[in-house]
Amino acid sequence: MGIKVCKFGGTSMADGNIILTGAKIIQSDAERRYVVVSAPGKRFSGDIKVTDLLYECSDAYESGDEAAFQKVFEKIRSRFLNIEKEIGKDLHISAALDVVEKEILSGAGRDYCASRGEYLAAKIMSAVLEVPFVDATEFIRFKEDGTLDETTFELGAKVLGAHQRAVVPGFYGLGANGKVKTFSRGGGDISGSIVARSVMASLYENWTDVSGFYACDPRIVNSPKWISELTYQELRELSYMGANVLHSESIFPVRSAGIPIRICNTFRPDDAGTYIVKNSTRDMREVVVTGVAGKKGFTAITLEKSLMNSEIGFVEKVLSVIGKHGISFEHLPSGIDTMSLVIDNEYLKDGILQTLLDEMETLVHPDKLYTHENIALVATVGHGMAKNVGTSARLFKALSEAGINVNMIDQGSSELNIIVGVENEDCADCIKAIYNEFFN
Ligand code: ASP
């Protein structure tokens, strides 16, 4: 009998009734032995996720605004007490909330505060299922530089292996300084993957509020084609570029062990979902493109210099400028005498862009140095592209027919994706044009 790890996301933990639905799903299959949960998310549009309330709490504590802290903490308290009431069982949540409040007020730190939504949600799920609670700090370890410590998996196998079944809070582990440390937002998906790898699961089920991946964002194209299967690489490309179903880093723990991930819908548990696998079983001559996704908010810094191609160390110097400021880049399209760096605008706030330009000017003396702000990147992804001649011709013809100006083109040598840079305002039309070309 295999082991299934089930991770329930924020909307699947949003109120007592949906938690009970999740519990039934777990109990309906004896292989579902390890459960990872997110903090309660939104119950309706306009609602606030518990994690966002906790970050507000932390801000209020750090700014010394006691009244604001109490106001937000009361909202969190009532969220959890409501859940307890809906479940109809004494889960000792009030006492647990008192401890959390005391710890935050005694300076336990921002990550500790943010992690308590998952902690309390796991306590609730553990009590509902009558299955042991295992804290993530017992085995998820981070290194000094903030990346995951590889010892996590061995420790996880030992700690989780001591229990036939367990409920684990997602989103955090133990930092190198001995304090709670969180992953980036949405990181509960990574925790699920870590648990799956630690117990060498046969399947990692990620329960959420959609029935899997679609070939593009349903807010852009009405009822897009559903994707039954993706490879880890395709998932990484699509989720990194904005397909918001699963955290883009969640494949790493399961990838080397080849553990498949299944996206399942808690609200429609009988739907087949999307499988994310190591090697595709699809006929790549038939599936040219797997999906299209886009993300707005990038800037391209372009440098032009005659004979750039023969100037040893030119690119290295340019990269040293952004490296010095702790900035990473997304793409580096280049020509003989030109190169561009495409950078997420998140890195370029507060005058940093001008600082980078000044430093590049001084260091490499380009003939021309200019920026193109407000770029959206749209990725067309699929292993099938390498097998089908004429894919890029079709893509660019579709964009030209739709009147979309392409600012940048980047195709990875693996031919897994073709990325185009367009104006932010053309992002949706660009996705639509590519989708219509390959799926209609
Ligand atoms: N609760 C965290 C967040 O809102 C982590 C997660 O849900 O995976 O980002």
Side-chain angles (χ1 to χ4, degrees), residues 296-300 345 372-376 407 422-425:
K296 293 181 186 175
F298 295 92
T299 292
N345 285 350
H372 200 127
E373 289 161 52
N374 304 318
I375 289 183
N407 297 324
V422 298
E423 298 293 329
N424 270 345
E425 61 194 44

Side-chain angles (χ1 to χ4, degrees), residues 7-10 37-41 49-52 55 114 117-118 170-171 183-191 247:
K7 187 260 168 179
F8 286 84
V37 297
S38 278
K49 291 178 176 190
V50 163
T51 308
D52 288 321
Y55 278 119
E118 272 62 18
F171 191 39
F183 289 101
S184 58
R185 294 300 303 266
D189 291 338
I190 309 174
S191 311
H247 194 294

